[in-house]
């Protein structure tokens, strides 16, 4: 099954491909599909932003589209940066700048609990929206560790290792995006089976 992934983030695209290809999906990026527009993420929830991104692609190509919106929720910061994770320290912020700001805001705070959240919006062939959410709990470290992953991964600690120190396979097995994508894949496969039986 061919799906267009509504993202321009190469790190996310790699994760989508790694997780979905073995499950029988042919992953096509929005740029490979020929989408050159840009989508303003004006939603106040992960689900709203995921839908905006998926819908922009679907309206142009009318084929199954997957978008995610994900971010980091830090308990001591009232769940910030949340939906603003990618632009935490400004509209065109780099991962480095965002990580610096996070460390700065957590200075002197003893509660470092955090969770990554991912909401996947899958628009099927008819344009119906289906949502799948995954979370991954951890805490924010005091310094960057590791060079793998992207975003806040070097600061996101599970036990004594950061996501920046996990291999791609280790991360996919427990990450918020891995969980949401596998739930979505399961739903699609189940649905296809049911439709196949109904057609007989």
């Amino acid at each position: 099954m061919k799906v267009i992934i509504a993202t321009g983030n190469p790190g996310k695209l790699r994760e989508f491909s790694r997780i979905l290809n073995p499950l029988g999906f042919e992953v096509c990026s929005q740029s490979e599909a020929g989408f050159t527009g840009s989508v303003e993420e004006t939603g106040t929830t992960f689900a709203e932003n995921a839908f905006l991104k998926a819908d922009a692609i679907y309206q142009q190509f009318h084929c199954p589209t997957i978008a995610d919106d994900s971010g980091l929720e830090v308990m001591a910061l009232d769940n910030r940066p949340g939906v603003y994770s990618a632009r935490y320290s400004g509209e065109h912020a780099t991962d480095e700048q965002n990580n610096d700001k996070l460390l700065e805001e957590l200075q002197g705070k003893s509660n470092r609990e955090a969770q990554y959240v991912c909401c996947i919006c899958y628009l099927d062939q008819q344009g119906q929206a289906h949502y799948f959410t995954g979370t991954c709990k951890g805490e924010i470290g005091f310094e960057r560790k590791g060079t793998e992953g992207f975003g806040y991964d070097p600061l996101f600690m599970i036990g004594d290792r950061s996501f920046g120190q996990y291999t791609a396979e280790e991360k996919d097995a427990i990450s918020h995006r891995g969980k949401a994508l596998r739930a979505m894949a399961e739903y699609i496969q189940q649905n296809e089976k049911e439709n196949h039986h109904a057609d007989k």
Side-chain angles (χ1 to χ4, degrees), residues 15 27 30 35 39 57-59 76 88 91 94 97 114 121 127 139 160 167 180 183 191 193 195:
E15 285 193 6
V27 170
Q30 60 183 35
F35 181 75
V39 181
I57 304 279
Y58 183 84
Q59 293 305 329
Y88 190 29
E91 200 51 52
T94 64
Q97 291 167 329
C121 175
E139 50 186 41
D160 56 0
T167 66
N191 221 36
K193 267 188 213 155
N195 288 343

Side-chain angles (χ1 to χ4, degrees), residues 64-121:
T65 303
I66 298 170
D68 95 318
D69 196 43
S70 47
L72 183 71
E73 296 182 337
V74 182
M75 308 312 145
L77 302 177
D78 299 321
N79 289 340
R80 283 183 295 118
V83 293
Y84 305 106
S85 292
R87 48 194 193 275
Y88 190 29
S89 58
E91 200 51 52
H92 301 289
T94 64
D95 288 349
E96 287 298 299
Q97 291 167 329
N98 287 332
N99 280 312
D100 284 342
K101 179 167 182 179
L102 182 61
L103 286 173
E104 201 180 297
E105 292 225 322
L106 282 173
Q107 271 180 356
K109 296 196 188 296
S110 55
N111 180 6
R112 315 280 292 190
E113 279 178 67
Q115 67 174 3
Y116 266 133
V117 179
C118 169
C119 179
I120 299 276
C121 175

Side-chain angles (χ1 to χ4, degrees), residues 25-46:
F25 292 87
E26 187 191 331
V27 170
C28 173
S29 71
Q30 60 183 35
S31 59
E32 286 168 339
F35 181 75
T36 53
S38 64
V39 181
E40 257 192 81
E41 296 182 31
T42 52
T44 56
T45 65
F46 294 119

